[in-house]
Amino acid sequence: MSLQIQSNVSLKPFNTFGVDVRARFFAEAHTDSDVREALAYAAEHELELLVVGGGSNLLLTADIDALVLRMASRGIRITHEDCGAAVVEAEAGEPWHPFVQEMLARGLSGLENLSLIPGTVGAAPMQNIGAYGVEIKDVFHSLVALDRQTGELREFSLADCAFGYRDSVFKHETGRWLILRVRFNLSFAARLHLDYGPVRQKLEEQGIKEPTPLHVSRAICAIRSEKLPDPAVLGNAGSFFKNPVVTAALAERIKQTHPGLVAYPQPGGLMKLAAGWLIEQAGWKGFREGDAGVHTLQSLVLVNYGSASGHDLLNLARRIQADILERFGVSLEMEPNLY
Ligand code: FAD
Ligand code: NAP
């Protein structure tokens, strides 16, 4: 028995909002057999099991009456290499940004636009993490997940994952799949994606004319550090709302009263609106009530100034949702996973 199960553990260090709730039981899984032990323990004691990684996409609104299993498995290996490309497999508990950095150090490109995203490799497929015009679906090879209902291992191909905008099959079949390891298609020949507004501009500011993947990563880290709060300093879970995709007619109606509307055309004649822009227009930027607030630089990010509870943050989020619906007729969907 290698799994150490503790009881009545504060989850404050394990969620980037820094919300202080307690887990009835808590353990860290370093191996597949730890995961199986945790599942057996949960079944034997009739407990729910909540798997977490870095806790950077969670809003915990109450004590967790379950076994919280934090994925801490480590390991990165190249499983296939030929013609300038490689398939790289990483264990679920690998921290995401150091993994990206290690790939760049090995000369492998594809993940550079996803630099500085907090969290773990195993959680990345959950919402098909994306930033600066790249999503993990663009470099995804396959993954191995444990079916918590049957205890069997299953391989997921790209098609099996049903990746969408901040979405995947894993988000819909909540609690069924425990992702153990993920494989990526990376390349020794750079395929850069620079066409997302601030990226080229930042590279130009830095005087870089022929960028490498490492340059792109550094530029993106610089952009992110300028406008996003560091969870180690100010509790947050990144973007709190997804960017809404609306009909062109609704976007046009909003534009009549708000000519500066930030909107990007989508397939099917739809428009993606920048949720942060809507929230800012509605006057929420920098709003604070108690210790729950809206970040002063990026309105899409809710922040915990210290002792906000999950409920305080959820109430603020609901007020913002209601206001945006009333003002613009747009429904905002929350991005973090609520427990
Ligand atoms: P957690 O928060 O621990 O878990 C998230 C969900 O995944 C939970 O439902 C959990 O049960 C489930 N889960 C975790 N691990 C596993 C596993 N191994 N198997 C099955 N289910 C699992 N996201 C983006 O997409 N793009 C960004 O640019 C971005 N920027 C961010 C910036 C900041 C400052 C912060 C705080 C967050 C940001 N995020 C971003 C959100 C977040 O970092 C990502 O969604 C990340 O992938 C979450 O990883 P995690 O390990 O912290 O997951
Ligand atoms: P931004 O550059 O201020 O842009 C605002 C929004 O407009 C973004 O959300 C982005 O949508 C969209 N956008 C900008 N340029 C676009 C283009 N060329 N084509 C299509 N859509 C475009 O955004 P930001 O808040 O600073 O974030 C920068 C990137 O990091 C974004 O990709 C964002 O998703 C990601 N990010 C995500 C989180 C999170 O927690 N999910 C947190 C921080 C940053 P998209 O979001 O669809 O890209």
Side-chain angles (χ1 to χ4, degrees), residues 56-57 113-118 127 129-135 165-166 195-198 220 223-224 227-229 236-243 262-266 272-277 298-301 335-336:
S56 63
N57 210 13
N113 290 44
L114 304 175
S115 295
L116 217 57
I117 297 180
Q127 69 161 17
I129 56 167
Y132 299 95
V134 173
E135 298 174 325
Y165 175 60
R166 305 287 185 270
D195 293 327
Y196 185 104
I220 284 172
I223 299 167
R224 293 181 71 105
K227 63 195 284 198
L228 284 172
N236 75 92
S239 304
F240 200 89
F241 302 101
K242 295 183 187 179
N243 288 322
V262 180
Y264 297 91
Q266 301 295 295
K272 180 180 76 180
L273 308 184
W277 187 89
Q298 169 51 288
S299 308
L300 202 47
V301 177
E335 187 178 294

Side-chain angles (χ1 to χ4, degrees), residues 20 68 76 97 158 177 186 222 294:
D20 197 6
V68 173
I76 297 171
H97 178 66
L158 179 64
W177 301 106
L186 302 180
V294 178

Side-chain angles (χ1 to χ4, degrees), residues 2-19:
S2 67
L3 190 72
Q4 306 288 313
I5 298 178
Q6 299 165 262
S7 56
N8 192 25
V9 171
S10 168
L11 293 178
K12 191 170 173 163
F14 302 112
N15 73 99
T16 59
F17 258 129
V19 165

Side-chain angles (χ1 to χ4, degrees), residues 272-334:
K272 180 180 76 180
L273 308 184
W277 187 89
L278 295 173
I279 296 167
E280 185 173 343
Q281 294 305 304
W284 288 97
K285 193 174 192 175
F287 176 88
R288 176 172 177 175
E289 191 168 79
D291 273 351
V294 178
H295 192 236
T296 50
L297 299 177
Q298 169 51 288
S299 308
L300 202 47
V301 177
L302 299 195
V303 292
N304 177 6
Y305 285 101
S307 59
S309 67
H311 263 292
D312 296 336
L313 291 156
L314 186 59
N315 286 339
L316 174 58
R318 287 193 173 134
R319 282 174 66 190
I320 293 171
Q321 279 177 318
D323 189 35
I324 299 303
L325 185 60
E326 194 183 315
R327 280 175 196 264
F328 301 107
V330 174
S331 295
L332 292 183
E333 191 187 335
M334 295 184 202

